């Protein structure tokens, strides 16, 4: 088994700092791109390249955009509870 890649490029470092920001629990690719001034395709690639650092949320935004969170900040159980709360509010 190979070691997970570490974000070493300055762009990746900025992306993961934005993902770990205390201001937001969940982020969209577009939000990270806007904050870091990095193209959305590069943000998407970085998030896909480091699945060990990124949690894809079980819920989406109202407009359907995918939400991402740092695995350091949001556990699978926390994300599941968030999904349950969102579903409960929708009823």
């Amino acid at each position: 088994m190979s070691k997970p890649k570490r974000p070493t490029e300055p762009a990746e470092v900025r992306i993961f700092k934005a993902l770990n920001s205390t201001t937001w629990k969940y982020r969209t690719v577009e939000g990270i791109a806007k904050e870091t001034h990095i193209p959305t395709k590069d943000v998407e690639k970085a998030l896909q390249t480091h699945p060990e650092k990124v949690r894809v949320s079980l819920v989406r935004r109202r407009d359907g955009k995918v939400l991402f969170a740092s695995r350091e900040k949001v556990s699978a159980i926390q994300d599941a509870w968030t999904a349950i709360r969102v579903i409960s509010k929708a009823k």
Side-chain angles (χ1 to χ4, degrees):
M1 188 164 112
S2 64
K3 278 188 165 183
K5 295 179 186 175
R6 293 191 55 180
T8 56
E9 297 178 9
E12 284 188 354
V13 171
R14 292 195 329 254
I15 289 167
F16 288 102
K17 279 184 181 178
L19 188 65
N20 283 304
S21 168
T22 57
T23 306
W24 309 103
K25 189 172 186 179
Y26 292 96
R27 303 296 306 263
T28 62
V29 168
E30 294 80 7
I32 295 170
K34 183 177 179 180
E35 180 179 329
T36 60
H37 305 286
I38 297 170
T40 55
K41 65 179 180 166
D42 294 341
V43 173
E44 287 174 345
K45 183 178 178 184
L47 296 176
Q48 291 172 355
T49 303
H50 299 286
E52 75 283 358
K53 295 184 175 292
V54 179
R55 181 166 313 288
V56 180
S57 179
L58 297 171
V59 295
R60 293 180 182 235
R61 277 190 6 176
R62 288 183 181 154
D63 61 5
K65 291 184 180 179
V66 177
L67 294 169
F68 298 90
S70 167
R71 286 186 180 265
E72 292 176 19
K73 288 178 21 178
V74 179
S75 70
I77 292 171
Q78 287 173 314
D79 191 46
W81 276 113
T82 299
I84 290 167
R85 285 194 306 269
V86 168
I87 292 167
S88 295
K89 285 182 182 180
K91 290 184 177 183

